[in-house]
Amino acid sequence: MEYRRLGRSGLMVPALSLGTGTFGGVGRLAAWGTTDATEARRLLDICLEAGVSMFDTANVYSLGESERVLGEAIKGRRDKVLISTKATFRFGDGPNDIGSSRQNLLKAIDGSLSRLGTDYIDLFQLHGFDAFTPPEEVLSTLDVLVRAGKIRYVGVSNFSGWHLMKSLAVADKHGFPRYVANQTYYSLIGRDYEWELMPLGLDQGLGAVVWSPLGWGRLTGKIRRGQPKPEVSRLPKTAEFGPPVPDEHVYRVVDAIDEIAKETGKSVSQIALNWLLQRPTVSTLIIGARNETQLRENLGAVGWSLTKDQVAKLDAASKVTLPYPYWHQRTTFTDRNPPAV
């Protein structure tokens, strides 16, 4: 397994990480999967054998059950794994059970530590931007948690570019911990990350921790032009929570992947993941798996590389019209404003 630096930090992370949204299977995320502790331990065994040592979760996944099941699965081998978790989404009925206030973050971290059965979190990320809490309060709280040894590195998820830059400016001004990870949506059918967040990551030293690299299950090989949608899939039940994408765009990209699959002998998902691993700023891809078969297939995305021509073919098939001001920057001022990729 290839290991990469997480942004501009000293932490090395595997190119693939395992997402544990399928662990627990409680509430609306039950459609993702219902992996129990026994099966979770088996999946972690396979991951560790392959060199995948980072596992991502969040307090809201299955109402805390994902963290609890992951905690059971890592018992006896905490020193062999990296744990990534998140908070800020609503987790309780109280007025302070949401957001990035000092009140909620301190409570959220203690809750995650308890469910995970550990005394520290390797990477903690804000799950979303809280516009009502001053960044000074957020970052000073994270500073306290880092100094206390409860978290080691900090990052964000689902932030806009200005959210990130405002936060980084506050961190630099006061000497608070800098975000080194941006857990972001990025896939062959969702390249918005390239417009602003990728250049920001290059400039400011944030590594992309990519969630849903298979486009919310659309790039698994089960969805093709002229074929019925799969009956066993998280997509129909959870599409409203995932990234929107027109069917025709998916079909166009999958058509191009199928051509490359014939050339390489690789699966649709392996090609989609390998394309991402060649993009700038990408530190790790969070792969998901309902079972051992899916996990082993996704692990096959590493150890080889698409050719430049194959990458170019996928780039062309997945290209979309950029919003303003990005189309203007790409067409009128590339000499002084080159794209990141």
Side-chain angles (χ1 to χ4, degrees), residues 286-309:
I286 301 174
I287 58 173
R290 287 173 176 267
N291 52 50
E292 181 177 335
T293 300
Q294 288 184 349
L295 176 57
R296 291 192 182 279
E297 180 178 350
N298 288 339
L299 291 174
V302 298
W304 59 280
S305 295
L306 295 164
T307 67
K308 290 183 178 179
D309 288 344

Side-chain angles (χ1 to χ4, degrees), residues 4-9 11-20 52-58 61 82-86 122-127 153-159 164 179-187 190 193 197-198 201-202 205-214 273 276-277 279-288:
R4 302 177 173 196
R5 284 180 66 197
L6 181 61
R8 206 175 287 161
S9 77
L11 183 66
M12 301 296 291
V13 297
L16 299 180
S17 301
L18 181 67
T20 65
V52 174
S53 58
M54 185 165 166
F55 304 94
D56 180 76
T57 185
Y61 292 170
L82 298 172
I83 298 299
S84 163
T85 193
K86 303 175 288 293
D122 298 284
L123 174 62
F124 174 72
Q125 296 141 117
L126 304 175
H127 216 160
Y153 294 90
V154 291
V156 301
S157 185
N158 307 307
F159 274 39
L164 259 171
Y179 298 134
V180 296
N182 180 12
Q183 187 163 143
T184 183
Y185 171 61
Y186 187 24
S187 78
Y193 170 72
L197 292 172
M198 180 184 283
L202 286 169
L206 282 89
V209 178
V210 179
W211 63 264
S212 205
L214 296 178
L273 293 173
L276 281 169
L277 289 172
R279 312 305 276 186
T281 73
V282 171
S283 292
T284 186
L285 309 180
I286 301 174
I287 58 173

Side-chain angles (χ1 to χ4, degrees), residues 251-264:
Y251 298 147
R252 183 168 65 249
V253 172
V254 173
D255 287 345
I257 294 177
D258 279 338
E259 292 181 22
I260 295 171
K262 294 176 183 177
E263 300 170 4
T264 61

Side-chain angles (χ1 to χ4, degrees), residues 94-105:
N96 290 309
D97 294 335
I98 187 173
S100 300
S101 67
R102 179 174 292 108
Q103 176 76 13
N104 190 48
L105 286 182

Side-chain angles (χ1 to χ4, degrees), residues 53 68 72 76 82 87 119 149 217 219 235-236 243 255 284-285 321 333:
S53 58
R68 188 191 64 77
E72 289 291 323
L82 298 172
D119 55 5
L219 297 177
L235 187 58
D255 287 345
T284 186
L285 309 180
T321 301
F333 203 41

Side-chain angles (χ1 to χ4, degrees), residues 13 47 59 76 91 147 174 177 185 189 226 232 248 254 276 286 302:
V13 297
C47 284
N59 63 352
F91 193 71
R147 291 176 184 275
H174 298 283
Y185 171 61
I189 54 171
V232 180
E248 180 56 36
V254 173
L276 281 169
I286 301 174
V302 298

